[in-house]
């Protein structure tokens, strides 16, 4: 690994290794430790799908991205940053929504380490250098439009349920199923995820350098969490198929397609200079 690169991302590299180790422990524990989760049966079954995707898909991707980042790959940097955001978003649910269990302190470290790893990495990333590597013919309108559509759809779905509660007092179904007293899903999505997705789309359409980086992070999030949502449907104990399954498939397929397209559009060094 280049000494300059090692020094540049040293803090985030160290935090990433800690995140990977703890994510492996918590995912394996969630899958195989029957007495770990103290939540109801529905929450535990849904959590199984999430743990499987984190362990089998996201952690290997994060390890590979970290390895290629250390080798100086800009594509690796984008995937590494994206995986850090996934870890932050994902373990926010474990920290704030799961019933208190033996892994609570691990969730604290995972959330804290993820957000600080992202911060220290983003302030060191050469934004202009990365943005210059994208092909001028990149269909930013299609990619930005897709993110607008997904964000807008989620906002509508969330607000319909919130307004319905205000007018009728009927709790959203997921709050009833999970037996929560609040909605961590609404809280995180409406305050963090969806504003970031909209901002990413706006900046990308304006060809702003940050738009490329944030869009890669959001597309990675849609790809991996779309897959996690699909896995949760099949591991949950609820009767029947989730009516939102086609939407989950759209998030997964669309996020994966545009993420791969975005990364493939990046030029090599000889094409830039």
């Amino acid at each position: 690994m280049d000494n300059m690169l090692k020094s540049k991302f040293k803090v985030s590299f160290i935090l990433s290794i800690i995140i990977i180790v703890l994510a492996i422990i918590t995912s394996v524990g969630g899958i195989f430790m029957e007495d770990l989760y103290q939540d109801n049966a529905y929450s535990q079954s849904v959590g199984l799908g999430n743990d499987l995707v984190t362990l089998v898909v996201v952690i290997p991707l994060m390890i590979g991205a970290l390895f290629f980042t250390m080798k100086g790959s800009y594509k690796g940097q984008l995937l590494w940053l994206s995986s850090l955001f996934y870890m932050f978003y994902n373990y926010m649910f474990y920290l704030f929504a799961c019933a208190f269990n033996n892994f609570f302190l691990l969730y604290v470290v995972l959330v804290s380490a993820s957000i600080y790893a992202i911060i220290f990495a983003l302030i060191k990333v050469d934004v202009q250098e990365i943005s210059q590597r994208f092909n001028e013919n990149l269909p930013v309108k299609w990619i930005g439009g897709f993110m607008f559509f997904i964000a807008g759809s989620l906002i509508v779905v969330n607000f319909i349920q919130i307004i319905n509660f205000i007018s009728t007092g009927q709790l959203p179904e997921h709050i009833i199923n999970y037996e929560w007293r609040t909605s961590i899903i609404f809280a995180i999505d409406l305050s963090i995820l969806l504003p970031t997705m909209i901002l990413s789309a706006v900046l990308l359409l304006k060809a702003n350098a940050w738009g490329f980086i944030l869009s890669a992070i959001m597309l990675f999030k849609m790809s991996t969490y779309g897959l996690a949502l699909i896995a949760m449907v099949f591991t949950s104990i609820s009767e029947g198929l989730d009516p939102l399954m086609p939407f989950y498939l759209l998030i997964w397929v669309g996020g994966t397609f545009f993420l791969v397209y975005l990364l493939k559009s990046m030029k090599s060094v000889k094409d830039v200079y």
Side-chain angles (χ1 to χ4, degrees), residues 1-10 13 69-72:
M1 180 172 61
D2 183 85
N3 289 331
M4 183 178 296
L5 189 64
K6 181 178 180 180
S7 175
K8 183 178 182 180
F9 292 120
K10 181 178 180 180
F13 283 162
T69 298
M70 291 178 173
K71 294 292 184 179

Side-chain angles (χ1 to χ4, degrees), residues 89-135:
Y89 179 90
N90 186 56
Y91 284 102
M92 286 275 282
F93 287 92
Y94 289 79
L95 180 60
F96 294 111
C98 283
F100 195 76
N101 63 50
N102 292 333
F103 280 176
F104 177 77
L105 290 178
L106 300 187
Y107 303 148
V108 171
V109 176
L110 278 162
V111 171
S112 182
S114 296
I115 189 62
Y116 283 111
I118 293 171
I119 291 172
F120 282 109
L122 285 178
I123 62 177
K124 297 292 185 178
V125 164
D126 191 335
V127 181
Q128 295 299 328
E129 174 68 20
I130 291 178
S131 65
Q132 290 175 5
R133 292 177 178 273
F134 287 94
N135 193 305

Side-chain angles (χ1 to χ4, degrees), residues 10 21 84 101 120-121 130 139-140 159 171 183 193 209 212 228 268:
K10 181 178 180 180
V21 172
L84 286 174
N101 63 50
F120 282 109
I130 291 178
V140 293
F159 269 87
L171 284 170
S183 175
L193 178 63
F212 297 97
S268 62

Side-chain angles (χ1 to χ4, degrees), residues 147-211:
M147 289 192 290
F148 272 130
F149 175 76
I150 297 299
S153 299
L154 289 171
I155 289 173
V156 170
V157 170
N158 288 350
F159 269 87
I160 286 176
Q161 296 178 76
I162 294 170
I163 293 172
N164 182 63
F165 170 74
I166 293 173
S167 60
T168 68
Q170 176 63 41
L171 284 170
E173 185 177 355
H174 72 271
I175 295 181
I176 297 173
N177 290 337
Y178 285 107
E179 296 182 357
W180 290 338
R181 296 184 65 84
T182 185
S183 175
I184 186 70
I185 295 175
F186 290 163
I188 295 178
D189 284 2
L190 291 175
S191 64
I192 299 175
L193 178 63
L194 299 181
T196 305
M197 195 178 297
I198 293 172
L199 176 63
S200 302
V202 170
L203 293 178
L204 182 65
L205 290 173
K206 290 181 175 293
N208 183 283
W210 278 105

Side-chain angles (χ1 to χ4, degrees), residues 21-119:
V21 172
L22 294 185
I24 291 173
I25 293 173
T26 55
S27 297
V28 171
I31 296 169
F32 296 106
M33 294 173 61
E34 295 183 2
D35 60 345
L36 173 64
Y37 295 130
Q38 303 299 309
D39 310 84
N40 64 17
Y42 179 83
S43 297
Q44 292 184 42
S45 64
V46 169
L48 173 61
N50 192 68
D51 286 329
L52 283 169
V53 171
T54 299
L55 180 64
V56 176
V57 178
V58 180
I59 292 175
L61 283 174
M62 185 173 184
I63 293 173
L66 184 61
F67 172 80
F68 284 107
T69 298
M70 291 178 173
K71 294 292 184 179
S73 168
Y74 285 105
K75 291 181 182 180
Q77 280 188 34
L78 290 179
L79 288 175
W80 171 49
L81 291 169
S82 300
S83 64
L84 286 174
F85 183 82
Y86 172 97
M87 291 297 182
F88 166 67
Y89 179 90
N90 186 56
Y91 284 102
M92 286 275 282
F93 287 92
Y94 289 79
L95 180 60
F96 294 111
C98 283
F100 195 76
N101 63 50
N102 292 333
F103 280 176
F104 177 77
L105 290 178
L106 300 187
Y107 303 148
V108 171
V109 176
L110 278 162
V111 171
S112 182
S114 296
I115 189 62
Y116 283 111
I118 293 171
I119 291 172

